[in-house]
Amino acid sequence: IETAIGEALLYKNEGGGSLVDATSRGIGRDPLGLARISRATGLNVIMGAGYYVPPSYPPGMDDKSEDEITEEIIRDITVGVGDTGICSGIIGEIGCTWPLQDNVRRVLRASARAQAETGACILIHPGPEDECHQAILDVLVSAGARPQRVIMGHLDMTLMDLDLLRGLADTGCFLEY
């Protein structure tokens, strides 16, 4: 946390005002640590909600319903994580495998439903396959997500085809590099 405070202050001193911490459930999310960083730096630190990739899912994920996952995400955004009272401000980073596994599809649909209720943006970590980006967006939109509130991340590492990039951009989603 002390290292993060020092690095965040460098960012703030260059004019930064907000940081997104995309550590969602299962990958070391630390609401109290993030609040400490925010207080020490004066930066707005935005914490993620939802689930990353299947290897980081908690035991019993196969038994969680889409409704349960949706409710967890909404609670993290509207009430706070656990009993901390510290709320998430973004859904994600939602990590995706290819082909999309059932659990990943369930998390994507739950994320879309939570977005529809809260208005929070969804941050996606797609796989490297060209066809996965649009497929992910299709799952999100079919479950009620607004593409204008979706960030398709890591495109500098995954999607190089300009026609596919234009197609994604045409949906209205954000392209993150």
Side-chain angles (χ1 to χ4, degrees):
I1 291 175
E2 294 308 317
T3 300
I5 289 170
E7 291 178 359
L9 283 171
L10 294 171
Y11 169 70
K12 181 181 180 180
N13 291 338
E14 293 297 322
S18 296
L19 290 171
V20 174
D21 180 78
T23 47
S24 48
R25 290 175 180 258
I27 55 173
R29 181 173 65 168
D30 182 359
L32 296 173
L34 295 175
R36 208 168 130 213
I37 294 164
S38 179
R39 282 192 303 274
T41 62
L43 289 167
N44 181 36
V45 179
I46 302 159
M47 178 176 57
Y51 292 91
Y52 186 48
V53 291
S56 68
Y57 290 171
M61 188 67 169
D62 291 341
D63 300 323
K64 284 186 185 277
S65 71
E66 186 176 313
D67 287 342
E68 289 174 302
I69 298 166
T70 302
E71 290 169 16
E72 288 174 351
I73 295 169
I74 291 170
R75 184 182 190 291
D76 280 0
I77 293 168
T78 60
V79 176
V81 175
D83 61 359
T84 66
I86 299 168
C87 296
S88 295
I90 193 167
I91 301 168
E93 181 171 61
I94 306 298
C96 298
T97 56
W98 189 257
L100 296 174
Q101 298 171 354
D102 289 341
N103 272 343
V104 172
R105 287 179 183 279
R106 193 165 54 250
V107 168
L108 287 169
R109 288 190 306 267
S111 297
R113 292 173 56 198
Q115 182 210 64
E117 184 160 330
T118 66
C121 284
I122 301 172
L123 173 58
I124 297 295
H125 181 134
E129 298 80 10
D130 285 352
E131 63 271 21
C132 76
H133 303 84
Q134 187 62 52
I136 292 165
L137 204 52
D138 290 346
V139 171
L140 290 170
V141 170
S142 71
R146 291 179 31 226
Q148 300 83 359
R149 304 284 297 159
V150 173
I151 305 160
M152 193 63 67
H154 303 289
L155 294 178
D156 53 320
M157 297 187 305
T158 62
L159 189 57
M160 303 299 168
D161 183 300
L162 290 179
D163 290 331
L164 292 175
L165 280 170
R166 283 186 195 98
L168 265 184
D170 288 344
T171 70
C173 76
F174 285 87
L175 308 181
E176 178 194 72
Y177 290 84

